[in-house]
Amino acid sequence: MKEEIIIAGFGGQGVLSMGKILAYSGLMQDKEVSWMPAYGPEQRGGTANVTVILSDERISSPVLNTYDTAILLNQPSIDKFENKIKPGGSLIFDGNGITRFPDRKDIHIYRVDATEYAAVNNIAKMMNMLMLGAVLKIRPIVEIKNVLKGLKKTLPERHHHLIPMNEKALQAGAELIVKL
Amino acid sequence: MKEEIIIAGFGGQGVLSMGKILAYSGLMQDKEVSWMPAYGPEQRGGTANVTVILSDERISSPVLNTYDTAILLNQPSIDKFENKIKPGGSLIFDGNGITRFPDRKDIHIYRVDATEYAAVNNIAKMMNMLMLGAVLKIRPIVEIKNVLKGLKKTLPERHHHLIPMNEKALQAGAELIVKL
Amino acid sequence: MNIIDSANLVYRKTPVMTDLTMHYCPGCSHGVVHKLVAEVIDEMDIQDKTIGIAPVGCAVFAYKYIDIDWQQAAHGRAPALATAVKRLLPDRYVFTYQGDGDLAAIGTAETIHACNRGENIVIIFINNGIYGMTGGQMAPTTLDGMKTATSPSGRSVPLNGYPLDMTKLLAELDGTCYVTRQSVHSLGAVRKTKKALRKAFENSMLEKGTSVIEVVSTCNSGWKMTPDESNKWMVENMFPKYPMGDLKDR
Amino acid sequence: MNIIDSANLVYRKTPVMTDLTMHYCPGCSHGVVHKLVAEVIDEMDIQDKTIGIAPVGCAVFAYKYIDIDWQQAAHGRAPALATAVKRLLPDRYVFTYQGDGDLAAIGTAETIHACNRGENIVIIFINNGIYGMTGGQMAPTTLDGMKTATSPSGRSVPLNGYPLDMTKLLAELDGTCYVTRQSVHSLGAVRKTKKALRKAFENSMLEKGTSVIEVVSTCNSGWKMTPDESNKWMVENMFPKYPMGDLKDR
Amino acid sequence: MAKVKGAVVVDTEQCKGCDLCVVACPSDVLSLSKEANAKGYNYSFMSSPDDCVGCAACAYVCPDACITVYKVKI
Amino acid sequence: MAKVKGAVVVDTEQCKGCDLCVVACPSDVLSLSKEANAKGYNYSFMSSPDDCVGCAACAYVCPDACITVYKVKI
Amino acid sequence: MRTEQEEIRLMKGNEAIAEAAIRCGCDGYFGYPITPQSEIMETLMDLRPWESTGMVVLQAESETASINMVYGAAGCGKKAMTSSSSPGMSLMQEGLSYIACAELPCVVVNVMRGGPGLGTIQPSQADYYQSVKGGGHGDYKLITLAPASVQEMADFTMLAFELAFKYRNPALILADGIIGQMMEKVVLPPYQARMTEEEIRRKYPWATLGKLRGQKQNIITSLCLLPEEMEAVNLHLQAKYRQVEQNEVRYETLHCDDAEYLIVAFGSTARVCQKAVETAREQGIKVGLLRPITLYPYPSEAIARIAGRGRGVLTVEMSAGQMLDDVRLAVNGAVPVEFFGRLGGIVPAPDEVFEALKTKLIKENV
Amino acid sequence: MRTEQEEIRLMKGNEAIAEAAIRCGCDGYFGYPITPQSEIMETLMDLRPWESTGMVVLQAESETASINMVYGAAGCGKKAMTSSSSPGMSLMQEGLSYIACAELPCVVVNVMRGGPGLGTIQPSQADYYQSVKGGGHGDYKLITLAPASVQEMADFTMLAFELAFKYRNPALILADGIIGQMMEKVVLPPYQARMTEEEIRRKYPWATLGKLRGQKQNIITSLCLLPEEMEAVNLHLQAKYRQVEQNEVRYETLHCDDAEYLIVAFGSTARVCQKAVETAREQGIKVGLLRPITLYPYPSEAIARIAGRGRGVLTVEMSAGQMLDDVRLAVNGAVPVEFFGRLGGIVPAPDEVFEALKTKLIKENV
Ligand SMILES: Cc1ncc(C[n+]2csc(CCOP(=O)(O)OP(=O)(O)O)c2C)c(N)n1
Ligand SMILES: Cc1ncc(C[n+]2csc(CCOP(=O)(O)OP(=O)(O)O)c2C)c(N)n1
Ligand code: SF4
Ligand code: SF4
Ligand code: SF4
Ligand code: SF4
Ligand code: SF4
Ligand code: SF4
Ligand SMILES: [Mg+2]
Ligand SMILES: [Mg+2]
């Protein structure tokens, strides 16, 4: 098993932490993992992206040309990464503010309106967990229980009370998938 | 014509300026010249030396192994340079404070008590001119008139009145030579 | 009644600012100071005679926003560049624009010696008590107890030393003619800062020496507060250590 | 009557000095200060607990003459070395010995920041107004009008800036606990300097911060005077700009 | 004393929604919009335009030079 | 008041003839010698030994730590 | 149950260095922030080792100060380190030359970014020359380790200290933005006690800890005004470097046994190349990969040996071709040596490398 | 009668640089004292060019400040220069990397002394790597001229400015303590007027002299946060370097036509080697000498050509063997390349070189 993932969006959308949770969950399942951000002074605008690889074997390049799965949270990310998905791979995008929809025929495309759902339900900070729930429904690369274990490991103790809320978001996100 | 000269002594004995006068005089006679000091923070003791080359041809190395003529003003200099004089070359030394006299048989050795003469005659600052007078008597590589021209060029205007004194010292020095 | 008419114009962006959107975080003080510098250049009509020296810090791209000739200096070295530029072009207005890391840490020597030589330049010193650009590390001016990425439990004097009042030092130097501390958190403060900047630029041609304008500023990203909270925190916490006003004017 | 008898001994070279002949020019102030430092170390009985940091400057070979452990720092960086040594060996006495070029030109940032952090070290600052080691060039502390190899017609403020009173700046910093200016041209001056040195060394263990002892000194070679003339010139010309006495003692 | 009436124009695309103009306005003229601009910021706008006195406090403190101010005496 | 008598020993080989001790001596005890030492310096010596009061001023100011001072009360 | 000491963690390369430093008994870290390595000091400040192991962590006023603080600490026989990125490294060159000459053991980390000048904060390998040829003045060498994984960031921190003390020489960890910023699994080394002063005095009698009664003074210096003495210092250094060259060459090979073509690459570029080699092997092209782990001493012999059996070498770097010199010197004309690089912060993609292999090397040999 | 302008003088290499700088219209010198080159600034201060040509001469607070002052001055299209010696050069590496990337023309003089560390003040050539490989971070090159006589100290000062402006690139004069301190005859160039502002605006429209109405702003920078842009900057630099390599290689040969053995040496070492070649020729040994004048760009082709005809090459340096790499790269295995060097401030004597020639090279070929 090997899954090569790109997650991209605006700084502030939780791109890097979504990747971190994925990577940590992989670690919980004894996979080899790599998490490689395109780093920069994000707080001052611009886009953020992270390449996450989960694999049974030792990972060679943490930098990739093409991906199995792309999780794209804004228009510039779709423009940049749509063409870098392997044929047969998956593109999962958030519909908020998208003006040009992805249209490749040789990949699976899913729309997940996590931002809207989060806004409506006043859980803006859970947007990335909603998205992750959807992603794991589509590509069940790690088990939800390991995601929760991972969260426990990474969140500081004082935030552990938020874990049930995260779990709910993961479940809710799985319901938002619209296959195009 | 090519003359390779080393001048060595204590800092303060006028080693470098004697070399400079020689080099400048060479220049007056349209020779190629090079003046290469062993530089260092002299003011804080130690010995000074300078290699002077006068030649009709372009000079290759300003740094030499062996010399035609050595002008040595103290004991450490004799110890260091006596053996670096070419067979048939000249060693000219000041007798002041010398405890081990040079004794090579294949070179010409001259003693010139310039320091003593300068002290007795209260012209300590002329010591190096006395020595130079002797040197030029022994090895007439440049003409006295060019030395004086050179002096005129190098000395600041306000010191030009000292030139006759220098001339006298050159003449007096020529009388101090004792061939060993 | 049509109020919005050029005849009724009270305030608009000076044309000395370019049209690019600044890369600063929302509410960052850098933007306000940029605007003021541009306005002063505009009002003095010296756009063709002014050369700016940009630092390494959040303001590294200042050259994109103020429409004059610029040089971008290595971290901390802006005063060295400015020295050379002004000495070679004595009838030009030359200013540096520097952060507290740039001016008061790595550039300490260059700053002090430019001021001590009395170079006829303007030094604009944005003191936000933090390294904004690199993600909020401690600066020499970081207050005691203040949390930053390299003082996560708050600056501690035994560990990290005292907050440094660099401007006070610069006022001590014979080479400075005008040293002042300002801010830009309110209308009044902005007006004063602008006046100070104008005076400093004018000093450039009077051969009086170096003018230093510290602007005590916020870095809401680094401070992890909203812009408004930052302003309030600044007034309450920064001002006591870095009090407003002229330190020297001769 | 045999006066010369160990029973009657009043003064002799301290055994903390080595037997090497110092490389300094005849009459150089460095020698006197070396002796005093060694005497203080001797009297405090801390030869085994003291680490000296030598500069780049005429005193670069200080380590040959004072018989303790030494590190020789890059030009200007002695305070950085001392910071690390003291932080890693807090029960040791750590001092730097620096010239005015070393401390007040290239080492400005290191000096100011060590003092501002309040490192518990002693900084001995030999201000002879010139770069002795390299042949007498202008230093930041060179007086206005003073001739040096790089100001052959005398320092000129418009060209070279103002003489820098670095010690005054250091006294302004919160991290310094004791800042004093002394000299070694007379018996009285020597005694005072020694007392100041002792106090500074004692401060090292009190966690009060940095102690700075400037010794206004002569460089007769660089000044092109006899040692005695140098002392007189110093009193007349250096003292007005660099007045004797404590600038800070807390 | 003649009454004064002001108005401001906010460059809503440049605005970063920092709220500083809102806080600075002495007459509570400005608010941040519910809607976001293309960069995702809730821009400032005149929620109580009639109260504007054209004092330009908002414009002076705006870091992004988004505000143009007009004023008439009436 | 008991009279005091001093004497100094100059390390003539280390002495650099800087003259500072000569100037510093309140009793004009010291002078520079006519003769030079091995390093070429005219070293300091007690030219008026009887006047020495053992005050050590000379020793304190000597940069090269050449002077040892003795004193007795007589 | 896993103990805390051998815990497997997911962390950034920069964080791994900080963790490993504390665990291997580092005495002092001195640094100045710069992207992409600021997390090293940030992690240390967060972990507060001064409360646990007693390690000192100090934010200096500049890189110049940092490296000279390292000099001071190392002079006391302490395990001292600093870290920076390219522009900051340039400011350390004088200090490094002093440290090398004074023979002080210490560890320096460079997480390279795109240059020259202020450049960009993205990954690069263009400080190779500076690192292994000598960015500072004079004849000296830094033992240079090039990690290619987060695990190696941790491991090489320990190894670097080991080598530094073994040879009394600064050791450089030459990483890049990728390795610094990426997260991987890492097994952290167990905690090792800091050296006691008695240990230091015994093992490193040159250290300036205070001159004990009856002992000679210790002097840390790089000054010898007499050129004869300075030459002797240099000859001693050179002899030491020959030792290092004999004992400490480290490299890793992949598919080199039957390789007709050889790729040479270090650090994260080697990871990218590994993927390219996999692709090539899938297509039946016999390519091998040699990854120098020590950049100084350089695995010249191994390269000469493996390259000599094949038909050509491709050097891949994130630079205009710097290690290329050393590959060419190793191969010494035996087979063609080609180069592929991306510059100024761009990371080559695996398929670009594969493409370069085909167009630059294999084609040439057809 | 000789005019003042073409006067023949006896002067030190350092003094020649100062005189030549004024004469070639230099606008600004910024420096910090260090032996063995302090006479450069001292001579300038003595000549007071600010009263004649208007040239600015400023003693900076450090080498770091000096090189950044040069950046500022050069950014205005002015002819700016600095000088230092080895340790001071190390402090300039960040600045040089910035200057190279911002493409600013300027002249830097390094009068090398023995390193590493504080070392000694005696002559050395051990900053070769730092000069031509890149002591600073990133991929950049300094056009590097190696004078071997006082005359060349003067001539290369002019030439360096010419090349610097031709390529908008820093030019380095890499001399050593011998050339700096020795006196020789020198014909000084005639005075050349400093460029007027109008001239600068016309010839160097990138200069920051103040943005005139209707013109675009000029920005001197080395920053490109986007790696794509930074790569473009780098590719542009690399293309320029290829140009330099094509156009500007300079070297001198002696007795190379029939040479069986070739000595390669630069700077004052080449003078020493010339004497060794004379001795060898007297003894009937067919030795030639190639003296690279430009160290970057390096005369690799010439060396390959001449060495290819012979039986071996001896590289002679005042270092542990740094240019040796470039000689080996040029020869690329065609003939044996041997090395003779003295280190840490020692100047090789002509007979030592002759001896090395016999024992290292000729013997091997017997
Ligand atoms: C030599 C060097 N060291 C460090 C850095 C990294 N760096 C970039 S900006 C900065 C500090 C910025 O802080 P400040 O000057 O206060 O400006 P601000 O961003 O707060 O406006 C640092 C350390 C660098 N670019 N170069
Ligand atoms: C980086 C560097 N720059 C310059 C020098 C040359 N240098 C040696 S000592 C010195 C100045 C000495 O002056 P000061 O510090 O006043 O000490 P003094 O000799 O007067 O006691 C200089 C510039 C150096 N060794 N290293
Ligand atoms: S990080 Fe701070 S200083 Fe930088 S732009 Fe953001 S708020 Fe302003
Ligand atoms: S040069 Fe000056 S400071 Fe140096 S030893 Fe001589 S007198 Fe002392
Ligand atoms: S101009 Fe004055 S009243 Fe009008 S919106 Fe702005 S701040 Fe408010
Ligand atoms: S101050 Fe400017 S940027 Fe901030 S909300 Fe108001 S208009 Fe927008
Ligand atoms: S001890 Fe006093 S009296 Fe005696 S020689 Fe010395 S200074 Fe003069
Ligand atoms: S002070 Fe010392 S060195 Fe000077 S003359 Fe007197 S004894 Fe000699
Ligand atoms: Mg800041
Ligand atoms: Mg001094």
Side-chain angles (χ1 to χ4, degrees), chain H residues 46-79:
Chain H
D46 209 40
L47 293 171
R48 304 175 72 77
W50 53 90
E51 291 174 354
S52 51
T53 72
M55 174 182 177
V56 167
V57 186
L58 186 62
Q59 179 172 334
E61 61 272 28
S62 69
E63 293 86 354
T64 313
S66 305
I67 192 69
N68 285 289
M69 289 175 180
V70 166
Y71 181 113
C76 300
K78 299 283 183 175
K79 284 188 175 171

Side-chain angles (χ1 to χ4, degrees), chain A residues 6 18 20 51 66 68 73 114 129 139 145 149 166 173:
Chain A
I6 181 83
M18 198 194 309
K20 228 179 249 182
T51 302
T66 57
D68 298 311
L73 306 184
M129 293 309 285
R139 306 279 311 154
K145 74 162 200 269
K149 255 200 213 163
N166 278 280

